[in-house]
Structure formats: structure tokens, C-alpha cells
Amino acid sequence: MSALLEIDGLGIAFGGITAVDDVSFAVRAGEIVSVIGPNGAGKTTLFNMISGLYRPSQGKVRLEGAEITAMEPHLLARRGLSRTFQNLQVFGEMTLLENVMVGHHLREKAGVLSDLLGLPASRQKTRASAESALALLARVGLEKAAYRAARTMSYGALKRLEIARALALAPKILLLDEPAAGCNAVETEEIDRLIAEIARAGVAILLVEHDMKLVMKISAHLVVLDHGRKIAEGAPAEVARDPQVIAAYLGQHGQEQVLHAEG
Amino acid sequence: MADLLQFLMSGLTVGAVYALLALGFTIIFNASGVVNFAQGEFVMLGGMGTAFAIAAGLPVPLAALLAILGTAAVGVALNRLAIAPARGAPVVSLIIITIGAAIFLQGAAGLLFDKQIHRYPGFSGEAPLRLAGATLLPQSLWVMAGAALTFAALWLFFTRTLTGKAVLATANNPLAASLVGINTKAIMALSFGLSAAIGAVAGVLVTPITMTAYNTGVALALSGFAAAMLGGLGNPLGALAGGLLLGVLEALTAGYVSSQYKDAVSFILIILVLALMPQGLLGRKTTDRV
Amino acid sequence: MKPKHLSLLVLTLLVVAAPFFFPSGFYYRIGALIFINAIAVTGLVILIGYAGQISLGHAGFAGIGAYACALAPEHLGLPPVAAILLGTALSAALAWLVGKPILRLHGYYLGVATLGLGILISMVLSNEAQWTGGPDGIAVPDLGLRGLLRDLGWRIGAGELWYGLAGTVMILGAWLALNLFDSPTGRALRALHGSEVAARTMGIDVARHKLHAFVVSAVYASVSGSLLALMNRLITPDVAGFMHSVQMVTMAVLGGVGSVLGAIFGATILTALPQLLTVFHQYEHMVLGLVMILVMIFLPDGLLPSLMKRLRGRDGE
Ligand SMILES: Nc1ncnc2c1ncn2[C@@H]1O[C@H](COP(=O)(O)OP(=O)(O)O)[C@@H](O)[C@H]1O
Ligand SMILES: [Mg+2]
């Protein structure tokens, strides 16, 4: 019961090919746990199963002791699970402010009729969401662009926007899938600072990130995936010494960075 | 019993037409990812073209050939002028474009030909054949044989010829195909031309039985799509199975329930299939990538 | 002034001012027809523009609204106003029932399913001739408003009356749709349009919201159909037909399906053209088809938003 999120033997196959196989670990309240592994190891797929987008073919997920395996994502949001996406999923035609306001959806419901008629209940909720969304945008340094359409913004800005939007849910646990991928050095630093700040506020974080320096520095716990299987787990310093990890992950990771540089 | 046989035979005749329609959908869908709502117009153009060419005094085989080639040209033009310029557009835009093409072709046919109902005599006469108490128009045999031949020819084309294999490769992975030197633009044009020609063949064959008019395309497209979906969109064999099944179900509904509501069968099937098994009878299950 | 209020002001001014430029009384009827179409198209703005869900069968709901006004007064003894409400209730109920399974579908599948729904409704209206009069249509009773006004001492022509009535309902509809845009529900709809996955993870019950958009837009179509029937006093199954559905979608995308004013602009052009240019009638299908293709390729945002962008210059970026 001490764990906030428990992953228990989780696995999934696509058309007979196993993408994730029998992965177990736990995240405690307020803790940062990082999942690392080469491209295609199954990290995103794992996130998709935890957040209810994919239905696992084996295993269980528990949040605060209650089983949430394959639960609808919007119900998971109610229970305090929030996430960002490796491949941006922003609402391109909406302003940055509106993007974050969507994160307040669960708190701003007033009913369709009230919304159609523009009743005070609806208008008041819109005002409240806007206020708190503006504060969140300020927290990620985007308040100046609040009224611009998301599709006009740079990649790095949208990465931060996704974090602000995910925070709007006031989550207990936040899943960040490569939040700094594709960002420049300044933006990466900004995101590092943000992650540390979120964790200090008591939100548990499950992180996928390729920036090893960052991962080693902020994680309480590391989980290493390779070919869909967990090959190591433990404190960062321990895991970094694991010969299997060095062989499977770090070797390939070097190649991958070359690829990133080319792309 | 004779009733049942009768319904089965008329069902298989219509089903063969649906199978050809579904095959046309499948070819375009595999090549471009577009569901072409103008597919039914190809059938209409094949029938109307043949009817007018015959009326103008051409012999039947020449009239049919002309109609099929003309329709194929329309298919190529459709791709060139309306689909290719909208590459990468959202699905809703592509739906509106192909619906627009359907309406445009319908209007053009109404002007170019006329707004009357047309037919021409069956290729082997009109005297019905008797078979175990049921009657069968000789043209029905033409339809079924024509569909069977078309499917067989396409199967040979896709498995035995280099061009056919290039089409399949493009369908599987356009990027890889263009990297190995396949001209994917030409493949796209070929797919639209082929698909339109197949639709026209169906129109040429079935018009003596069902008759045709400038505005028959949309309902045909709906049935063809239902057939394609029933078999699993993108699968040629599924198109065949789905087409025949839909044809027979419609005929049974017309025979035992109500002939006015036989067209409702497609719609109800679409809903049922999509609700119960979105991947169709022969399709494979997939998960949307995130 | 907020954009919402500006839009409503512009709309109201146009409706009020237009009659001063009418060369003849005939134009009131064209105006009323424009407004009636605009009502249905505003519903599609909510469904297609906000929520990003296509419907190729919304004329079916217009058919239900229209035939409710033709049949309910005769068979149920309802006054025509109550028949309008009955029509909207039936349309909403059907949209809700059918929407549940079909709104799980995406893209092409949803297009085909809605297309089939529309065809099915028009099929019923043509086939059940003992009730509906079949393909030749059926007479619709008088709304009775003119008589009422006359008794109150206000004589007003039928054209003027329908112009005012349809214009009022259209402005009301636009007001509701504009309220929705900037409300929690409107943001949820636009969010699921932008990214369904992200919307779901933000706590949005996507199925429910799509259903709401579908039902609301069906109500708009139904009201539009009712008004059309009551104005023309005669209705045929064409009101529910595929071509009518396509016209609605074309009006919406031509003007700009993302904006209420844009869609009303589209309705104005495509309603007025065939009425004013009789040659147009012969080419109506071809023109509609061409408009659909060309707009999607060259002006995917629609005429009005593209024009506005042009006028405002670069500051949109
Ligand atoms: N929806 C899907 N359908 C089929 N295969 C998938 C799907 N999602 C992921 N995969 C496969 O699962 C494997 C793991 O992918 P992913 O989780 O994205 O890796 P990572 O995030 O670690 O880079 C890959 O081989 C990928 O192709
Ligand atoms: Mg990944």
C-alpha cells in the first residue's frame, strides 16, 4: 500500500510481436522514477498501457491500491494520473491558454445547456480556469504567448505547454515521455528545472528521458527496459554499474545519439 | 425452396457487382489511404457510356470498351486534379473532396447524357433460363463470370507482374517503395485508373438487369463500401466475400421482408459490423499508434 | 468588444439592414431561405467545425423536423409550434440512439455511417406513402402566426413574416453556438478535434461530448427543416435526401466551418446563387461538387476566415 503506482507483470503484443513483456515496478508518492532503454525498447508502449490508451494483454496496474488496468483515460485523469506525449499532442487550433484550460476540464463542467445559454455558472467557470491556466503558463514561461494559436509555436515551447496542460489536472502522478527530446540546451535546462520543481511540490513523476546526466541526477529509482523486458532496476548509481545495462543500453544509445544528430 | 434459390441467384448477381465496387474501393484505399466516395459514379459512367454508345450505333463490345476506357480516364483525372493536390489533408477534407467529385460527376453525367433511365439488351438475349424451378437471366451469368474473371485477372496482375508487385509494395510502404525506385505517382494514377475501370466493368455488365441513370452512383457507393468494410477494408478477398454476402443478404431481405427496404440492409450491416468487429470479417486487429 | 458580441452585432445589423436594399418583395423569401439553411449549417459548425466529426446525413434530421410539422397537427392534433418541438425531441432522441454506436467511428467510417443514416431516413419518408404522401410530398398546415398578428391589428406579408421569424431564430442559434465556443463544453469539443488521445488523458469523456455535439447539431437541423416546411406549406422527401445533406456540408465548408459567421456566409452564397441565377440551376450539381473540391484544396479554412486573414495582413502569425 505504500506505493502510489504499482506495475505488476505488464505486457502487450501487437500482431503476435511482443512489445512489452512482464514488466513490474512501483512508484511511491512524491518520488521520481525514470524508465530508460534504447529506442523501441517499449517505454512509450508502457506509458500507453498505464494511461489506458492500450489494453495490456497481461498484468495489472494499480493506483493507490485500486486496480486501474485498461481503465478509460478520462477516468484515470479523475484519479490523478496525467501525462505528456513523446510525439506532441497539442490542440493546434486552440490558443496556449485554451490548451491549458482544457486541463481544467474536470473542474469546470457546467453542463451543455448551461454552456449553450452562456449561463453565469459556465462563464464563471471559464473565468476561473483562465486565471489558473494563465498562472500555469507563467510557471513554464509561456504567459506572453497565451493568446497565440498552439500551431504557431516552436517545438520547445509546445513541449513546455504539454507539461503545463498536464499539471492543470493537479495530478498525483505525472508521466513525462521524453519531455526534453528535440529541445535546445536552454530549453532543456528550463525543462530540467521545471521537473525538479514539480517533484518538490509533491507530485510523483514517471519519466522517460535520454538525457543521462539529468536522469542520474534527479531520479530516486531507475528501471531499464530492453526489447520490452526489464533488464535492471535500482538506484541510479547501482544501475549505471550493471554490466548488462552497459552492454544493452549504453552501447546502442551511442548510435542513437548519432541518429538524433543526423535527424 | 425454389424461392430461396431464386433469391440466392439474384443475390449473387448483385453481390458480384458489390464485390467489384468493393474491389475498386480496396485498390484506391491501399494505394492512397483514401476512401473514394465517387466509386459508385464509375459504375454509373460505365453503364451510361455503354448505353449511349450503343444508341449511337456502335457494336456492343466497342461501346463497352469505350465506356471502360473513358471511365478509367476519369479515374486518372480524379486523382490528378482532386486527390493528389490534397495530399496530407485531414480525412474530413478528403471525404468532402471525393463526395464533391461524386456530385460533380453526377451533374456532368446529367448534362452530358441525360436524366432518363437507361438500359440495353442483355448480351446473350433476354430469354430467362430455368433452373430447378427458379429463373435466371443470361445476363446474370455474364455478371458473375465477368466479376470472377476480373478478380482472377487482378490476382494474376498483383502476384505475377512487376507492375502489380510495385503497386503492392507502394501500398505496404510508400516511402520504402519510392526509395527502391518505384514511381509512386504513376502507381497512384494506375490505381485510380484501374479502380475506375473495374467500376465501369461492373456498370457495363449489370445495366441490362438493373438499369442506370445519372444519379445512381451514391447508393452504389454506399453498398460497395458496406461490402468492402464487411470483408475488412483493404483486403481484396474480403471485398469478394463481403460483396457476395451483402448481395445475398439484400436479396433475402427483399424476398422475405420488404423489397422497399432492401437498401437498408447495407446501412444496418455497416453499423453492426463497425460496432461489433471494426476490423471486418477478414481484417486483422490493430491498435492506433500514439 | 468581445468577438462573440461583434459577430452577433454584425449579424443582426445585416439581417435588419438587408431589406432596405431589396428590389422586390420576392427577396424576403430568399432571405428567409438563407436564414433557414444557415440554422442547419450553424449546427454543423458545432459538429464539424468545433468537434471535427463529419456528418453526411444531417438532412435526415431536417426531414424529421419537416414531417413532424406536416403530420403532428393532423394526426396528433398538435399546434404547429408544438410540432416543431416534437420534431426536435424526435431528432434529438434518434441522434442520441444512433450516435452512441456510430460516433465511436472515425473519419471515413463515420462519414459512411452518417450517409447511410440519412439515406435510411429519406427512404422511410418516400416509402411510407400512406403517412408521408410518398415522393410527391405532403401539405403542411399554416403556422398561424400571421393570423394571430392580424387579429392583433398588425398586417404583415408572408415573406416579411418569414424573413423576420427565420432571421430571429438564426440569430438565436448563432448566439447559442457562439456561447458554446468559449465554454467548457466548447473547449472540450475543440480539444477532441485537435487530438482525441490528449483530450481523453485530460479527463474528457470523448464519447459523451461527441454525442452532445451530434444531438445539438441534429436539433439545429430539425428546427431548420420544420421552418422550411412551415414556410413552404409543402414538403417532399428531398428535404431529407443526400443532396440536401451535401448542400449543408458544402455551405459550411465554403464559408468556413470553424466559424459561425463564415458558415452563415457560405449558406448565403449557396442559397442565393441558384435563386438569383436561373442558369445556375442546370449546373447546380457540378457547381456544388467543384466548390467542395476547390475549397478543400485551396481554402481549407473557408472563404470568410481566409478573407479575414488577408485583410488583417500578417498579424495572424
Ligand atoms: N500501436 C502499435 N502497433 C504495433 N506496434 C507497436 C505499436 N506501438 C508500439 N509498437 C511497437 O512496440 C515497440 C516499442 O515501441 P515504443 O514503446 O515506442 O518504444 P520506445 O518508446 O521505448 O522507443 C516497437 O517495436 C514498436 O514498433
Ligand atoms: Mg518512445
Side-chain angles (χ1 to χ4, degrees), chain C residues 240-265:
Chain C
F242 172 66
M243 277 310 295
H244 191 205
S245 290
V246 169
Q247 276 168 342
M248 287 184 193
V249 173
T250 313
M251 287 171 183
V253 299
L254 171 65
V257 71
S259 89
V260 172
L261 270 196
I264 291 176
F265 183 52

Side-chain angles (χ1 to χ4, degrees), chain A:
Chain A
M1 262 312 292
S2 66
L4 177 65
L5 180 73
E6 287 169 86
I7 313 297
D8 183 3
L10 214 54
I12 191 170
F14 297 108
I17 298 164
T18 307
V20 172
D21 188 16
D22 194 23
V23 170
S24 305
F25 63 91
V27 183
R28 280 190 299 236
E31 179 182 70
I32 301 184
V33 172
S34 291
V35 180
I36 60 172
N39 256 347
K43 306 178 296 291
T44 298
T45 305
L46 181 68
F47 271 28
N48 287 343
M49 287 190 286
I50 297 173
S51 55
L53 295 175
Y54 290 178
R55 175 177 293 276
S57 36
Q58 40 162 288
K60 286 192 167 57
V61 185
R62 278 183 288 271
L63 187 66
E64 298 185 301
E67 181 168 346
I68 58 160
T69 320
M71 195 178 268
E72 275 289 318
H74 72 266
L75 298 177
L76 293 174
R78 277 171 203 237
R79 290 171 178 249
L81 187 140
S82 186
R83 70 169 288 180
T84 66
F85 296 87
Q86 179 182 352
N87 303 314
L88 290 174
Q89 296 281 342
V90 297
F91 311 126
E93 298 299 319
M94 300 172 80
T95 64
L96 299 197
L97 186 69
E98 286 175 325
N99 265 271
V100 181
M101 287 168 81
V102 171
H104 291 87
H105 176 76
L106 290 172
R107 270 169 287 149
E108 64 172 15
K109 266 190 275 188
V112 195
L113 276 183
S114 162
D115 287 354
L116 275 165
L117 294 167
L119 295 186
S122 297
R123 295 216 303 265
Q124 195 275 326
K125 283 185 175 160
T126 291
R127 259 196 310 274
S129 308
E131 235 166 70
S132 112
L134 208 52
L136 276 170
L137 279 177
R139 223 172 126 187
V140 300
L142 288 172
E143 75 277 24
K144 286 212 185 73
Y147 295 98
R148 286 179 54 177
R151 71 181 149 71
T152 65
M153 302 298 291
S154 73
Y155 186 84
L158 294 181
K159 279 283 190 193
R160 278 179 288 153
L161 174 65
E162 276 210 355
I163 297 178
R165 185 181 67 185
L167 284 176
L169 269 173
K172 292 181 185 128
I173 179 158
L174 179 59
L175 277 53
L176 298 173
D177 196 350
E178 307 203 12
C183 293
N184 62 34
V186 181
E187 287 167 340
T188 306
E189 202 162 304
E190 172 80 0
I191 286 171
D192 294 359
R193 185 189 56 74
L194 197 60
I195 294 174
E197 198 183 293
I198 296 166
R200 263 200 308 279
V203 179
I205 293 177
L206 186 58
L207 174 71
V208 168
E209 183 50 63
H210 283 307
D211 181 352
M212 278 306 130
K213 260 201 350 243
L214 170 69
V215 167
M216 292 292 168
K217 191 172 73 195
I218 65 173
S219 315
H221 200 81
L222 284 190
V223 174
V224 189
L225 292 190
D226 188 27
H227 295 302
R229 306 185 68 95
K230 185 176 80 178
I231 57 167
E233 175 177 12
E238 258 170 65
V239 169
R241 281 195 303 271
D242 190 315
Q244 217 185 336
V245 174
I246 295 168
Y249 177 63
L250 295 176
Q252 241 179 312
H253 188 59
Q255 280 176 11
E256 201 179 279
Q257 276 176 338
V258 174
L259 283 179
H260 270 301
E262 281 170 359

Side-chain angles (χ1 to χ4, degrees), chain B:
Chain B
M1 201 51 218
D3 272 357
L4 182 63
L5 189 66
Q6 184 71 59
F7 298 150
L8 277 180
M9 281 186 312
S10 55
L12 286 176
T13 308
V14 181
V17 174
Y18 292 164
L20 288 176
L21 263 162
L23 181 63
F25 269 120
T26 303
I27 291 173
I28 288 183
F29 181 75
N30 283 348
S32 64
V34 172
V35 167
N36 175 28
F37 281 87
Q39 197 68 29
E41 311 308 318
F42 298 150
V43 179
M44 177 274 290
L45 287 176
M48 291 289 272
T50 310
F52 272 79
I54 290 174
L58 292 188
V60 175
L62 191 60
L65 187 68
L66 218 59
I68 293 169
L69 289 179
T71 308
V74 169
V76 173
L78 171 67
N79 173 55
R80 178 79 189 70
L81 300 176
I83 309 287
R87 285 252 99 199
V91 170
V92 169
S93 304
L94 289 167
I95 291 176
I96 292 171
I97 286 176
T98 60
I99 289 271
I103 303 287
F104 178 82
L105 289 174
Q106 184 174 324
L111 277 182
L112 192 68
F113 303 120
D114 60 20
K115 301 196 171 176
Q116 310 302 314
I117 295 173
H118 292 275
R119 77 178 291 267
Y120 38 86
F123 301 160
S124 306
E126 311 269 7
L129 310 169
R130 304 215 152 265
L131 199 86
T135 60
L136 181 68
L137 287 173
Q139 190 66 21
S140 283
L141 295 177
W142 273 97
V143 173
M144 289 189 245
L149 262 174
T150 307
F151 268 89
L154 267 151
W155 183 75
L156 287 177
F157 172 67
F158 283 127
T159 53
R160 299 292 158 84
T161 70
L162 210 55
T163 317
K165 285 178 186 167
V167 175
L168 288 189
T170 309
N172 273 330
N173 189 339
L175 187 64
S178 68
L179 285 179
V180 300
I182 294 173
N183 181 349
T184 50
K185 270 196 186 146
I187 296 288
M188 213 63 82
L190 175 70
S191 303
F192 274 83
L194 200 60
S195 168
I198 292 170
V201 167
V204 168
L205 293 173
V206 82
T207 295
I209 302 175
T210 56
M211 304 191 270
T212 190
Y214 77 108
N215 61 358
T216 51
V218 173
L220 282 168
L222 188 66
S223 301
F225 189 82
M229 228 159 37
L230 196 56
L233 197 55
N235 180 342
L237 278 183
L240 181 60
L244 295 179
L245 187 62
L246 180 64
V248 169
L249 283 174
E250 269 194 24
L252 293 179
T253 310
Y256 291 117
V257 186
S258 148
S259 63
Q260 283 182 323
Y261 285 105
K262 73 177 171 48
D263 289 338
V265 173
S266 317
F267 171 65
I268 291 164
L269 263 182
I270 288 177
I271 302 277
L272 282 181
V273 169
L274 290 174
L276 300 178
M277 35 177 195
Q279 63 280 4
L281 293 178
L282 303 178
R284 262 197 303 148
K285 195 171 173 243
T286 57
T287 309
D288 283 345
R289 255 173 212 248
V290 181

